[in-house]
Amino acid sequence: MAARARRAEVGVMDLARDLGVSTATISRALNGNPAVRPELAERIRQHAEARGYVANRLARALSANTSHAFVGFVIPYVDTPAYSAVAAECARLLSANGTQMILTITENDPERELRQLKELVASRVAGLIISPSTHILDPTKQLLASLPVVQFHRACGIDAPGVFGDDEQAMAQSVLHLAALGHTDIAYLGTSELLSNGAARLRGIRRGMALAGLDPDEMPMRLLEPTRANGRRGVEQLLMEPGTPTALVVGGGSLSIGAAQAVRASGRRLPDELSLVVYGDPAWFALSDPPLTTVCVSYQDLACRAARLLGERLDDRQPPRGGATPVPDPGPYLVTPELCPAGSTAPPPGRRRG
Amino acid sequence: MAARARRAEVGVMDLARDLGVSTATISRALNGNPAVRPELAERIRQHAEARGYVANRLARALSANTSHAFVGFVIPYVDTPAYSAVAAECARLLSANGTQMILTITENDPERELRQLKELVASRVAGLIISPSTHILDPTKQLLASLPVVQFHRACGIDAPGVFGDDEQAMAQSVLHLAALGHTDIAYLGTSELLSNGAARLRGIRRGMALAGLDPDEMPMRLLEPTRANGRRGVEQLLMEPGTPTALVVGGGSLSIGAAQAVRASGRRLPDELSLVVYGDPAWFALSDPPLTTVCVSYQDLACRAARLLGERLDDRQPPRGGATPVPDPGPYLVTPELCPAGSTAPPPGRRRG
DNA sequence: TTGAAAGCGCTAACAT
DNA sequence: ATGTTAGCGCTTTCAA
């Protein structure tokens, strides 16, 4: 009997006919509009349920010209925890809000980013969570200015709130940690200064060096696009240079994985022959032996804030009148990474022998 | 001047008025309908571009009652490569097709899964790529029967194509590998038999045991929900049992990570005191020392096939008449994992000393 | 408290 | 080859 519930596609009109009321009443009841007599509303809801009615989100969003049906989630990659953890958390929070998340991968390609952003506004997304590509295009910036945006991990000079790791602070700390152990020859492998987070990390490193009484300009370093391969490459280059460093700090998650591999491949023993500080999610490094001293970032925390931030921004929609935004922008949220010292850092060889 | 391009929201009507043609012509031109005079079509496209027109996907999808605007991507988790790699690849392929991907995380909760699936059909998704939850609900199955679906990693007894790792084969191989080294006390830590892949892996293990002349029923094993914590727990339990095994096979990605950690924490040396075979993406285990013998799965490969499969299914839409599907269903696609022997497997202690 | 009717922005018959 | 005219399924004035 009930099994023949094929693609019947029940709509408001059907419900209205069934119950002898108007589509308007149906709509109101289903949206919890208090103007409907409670008893009637209940009956309508039950009937809708019984007939297996599911509202067409497209029609709804089209009609109510503003809606929370979709938000866009735009990231360079999804197969690294820095992004996937945030994606997971945002999906969860948005879903609880009845909003669907359109996932979009840019692979750090500015053209692709722009194209996909256009498609997203074409889908009338209520807002956007984005980790911008390195070389963001101008039209992209303009687009971003036209709707609620929350950025994370990377900032791209637009006027939108964002959540970021407080990398500068953490990186400085890691240098001081090494210096306290007695290291003076510290090398840095990090991410392009064109990335806002790359720049912040480098600033931190330099500040740490200065605070430790070392000359930042003497420091051997490599700034590369953040990939595992570059992590390996960077280590190989840095360890081949004259005046080999006794300690290496890596500023970037993917770089760190590659770097740790390369260090092991080079045969250098941690921490006897080299001290190593990596960056990222501790889970990545769980298997390495010895455990690595890590600048730990809580991506979960970051994700929560990003999602919540967008939630607030969406609720700011339709400020009744007047141009002044009542909610003061609290500036960027900083998630403070924590330096977790472990077995990969120790005094340098010279010190230990002396 | 051009800077005041506020939220002007150009629509087909505007373009039509500008150019003195009808909205129908605009629509046709923009959709590449050959019925429009090429010159006019070109002019229209240029004007649309110039005015910064972006078609409203919602209106489009609502009007053209069938569309490829959205597909749903439904997975239990996104922060593990088994899923995120597939998500990335699908997003890429779909995007090239002008389709947006709605990401949905079930966290393996059947209720949540059903709810989200309903929301997806409410958004009139053209199809679905899904890795079903463990205890899928009956209404969920019915829903899945009503639209093009491709499943991956896990099968849930619905009539839909899918792509899976050929785990049975690979797991059998790993047992044979250990047996060839001389192991007779082999333990297995795997995933619930309720999961299709858990069942397949266990079948493989048993087959391997039988082929090696060992009694599968004697084998110590634990079948747990696939999490890292359970990986640790399982190892602790198995290594505490009387008649401690000399080799351990782990069937599951997250389990493997936890297991590797627990083995190290237990102080057992690989491969001298214990041989270990893990399962999953080699990248996870890149840092472990010694390198782990791994059943390697190409998630990228799997992802490609899944996305392509859905592409085909979507093109099958609207079979003009007649009920017979012209394209024969090729059955499940199997991606064959590869056993990569490394330093974590060796002859058992007894053998070596003898 | 409810209904009638006008859209939302686009596509697709059906005319011309 | 182009225009006219209905819708798609819902929300939302405006009236009653």
Side-chain angles (χ1 to χ4, degrees), chain A residues 95-353:
Chain A
S95 147
N97 195 14
T99 298
Q100 289 176 340
M101 187 172 110
I102 302 177
L103 174 67
T104 276
I105 316 284
T106 66
E107 283 179 348
N108 213 24
D109 173 351
E111 314 274 359
R112 207 169 148 188
E113 182 177 55
L114 177 55
R115 226 175 313 137
Q116 295 177 324
L117 243 35
K118 278 189 189 155
E119 291 295 311
L120 285 172
V121 327
S123 289
R124 297 300 185 265
V125 291
L128 229 40
I129 301 182
I130 183 173
S131 196
S133 74
T134 317
H135 307 284
I136 194 168
L137 265 28
D138 258 4
T140 304
K141 282 195 188 182
Q142 291 178 18
L143 252 185
L144 290 177
S146 72
L147 71 175
V149 170
V150 170
Q151 36 186 351
F152 72 98
H153 280 332
R154 305 166 169 186
C156 63
I158 62 171
D159 177 29
V163 306
F164 311 97
D166 186 3
D167 293 342
E168 181 167 349
Q169 162 70 11
M171 296 315 276
Q173 229 182 305
S174 66
V175 170
L176 290 173
H177 166 69
L178 290 169
L181 288 170
H183 289 273
T184 54
D185 295 329
I186 302 175
Y188 176 60
L189 170 57
T191 287
S192 162
E193 275 183 285
L194 295 171
L195 291 168
S196 67
N197 50 6
R201 290 170 195 164
L202 182 56
R203 274 201 308 277
I205 293 285
R206 299 181 82 98
R207 202 176 74 199
M209 293 288 283
L211 286 172
L214 302 171
D215 185 353
D217 297 327
E218 299 273 290
M219 176 183 59
M221 71 175 183
R222 285 289 182 288
L223 300 183
L224 305 172
E225 290 279 307
T227 66
R228 294 182 187 193
N230 277 336
R232 288 189 287 271
R233 202 166 302 144
V235 163
E236 283 155 15
Q237 294 175 2
L238 287 167
L239 295 188
M240 264 177 43
E241 293 202 338
T244 302
T246 61
L248 173 63
V249 180
V250 187
S254 302
L255 288 174
S256 289
I257 296 180
Q261 285 180 261
V263 166
R264 217 190 50 202
S266 79
R268 278 198 179 58
R269 285 201 324 250
L270 298 175
D272 300 341
E273 299 177 320
L274 182 76
S275 282
L276 178 65
V277 178
V278 296
Y279 179 102
D281 188 322
W284 293 340
F285 310 112
L287 295 179
S288 76
D289 193 19
L292 304 180
T293 295
T294 305
V295 175
C296 300
V297 193
S298 170
Y299 293 119
Q300 164 119 1
D301 189 11
L302 203 145
C304 285
R305 296 196 188 211
R308 235 170 335 201
L309 216 47
L310 185 69
E312 292 167 16
R313 294 226 63 190
L314 295 187
D315 293 341
D316 287 0
R317 77 187 187 286
Q318 320 220 83
R321 58 203 87 254
T325 312
V327 186
D329 190 327
Y333 282 98
L334 293 183
V335 175
T336 310
E338 199 183 349
L339 179 67
C340 306
S344 69
T345 46
R351 274 294 191 96
R352 199 178 296 118
R353 263 187 259 122

Side-chain angles (χ1 to χ4, degrees), chain B residues 65-99:
Chain B
N65 213 339
T66 170
S67 94
H68 287 191
F70 304 108
V71 314
F73 191 81
V74 183
I75 52 181
Y77 308 99
V78 75
D79 38 11
T80 141
Y83 296 109
S84 64
V86 182
E89 192 60 27
C90 288
R92 152 211 279 299
L93 269 75
L94 290 173
S95 146
N97 195 14
T99 298

Side-chain angles (χ1 to χ4, degrees), chain A residues 9 55-57 62 78 84 88 92 95 100-103 107 116 119 122-124 228 260 264 283 287-288, chain B residues 9 55 57 62 78 84 88 92 95 100-103 107 116 119 122-124 228 260 264 283 286-288:
Chain A
E9 288 299 8
N56 185 326
R57 294 175 69 111
L62 181 61
V78 75
S84 64
R92 151 210 280 299
S95 147
Q100 289 176 340
M101 187 172 110
I102 302 177
L103 174 67
E107 283 179 348
Q116 295 177 324
E119 291 295 311
S123 289
R124 297 300 185 265
R228 294 182 187 193
R264 217 190 50 202
L287 295 179
S288 76
Chain B
E9 287 300 8
R57 293 176 70 115
L62 182 60
V78 75
S84 64
R92 152 211 279 299
S95 146
Q100 288 177 342
M101 188 172 109
I102 301 177
L103 175 67
E107 281 178 351
Q116 293 177 325
E119 290 296 310
S123 288
R124 297 299 186 266
R228 293 184 188 192
R264 218 192 48 202
L287 295 180
S288 76

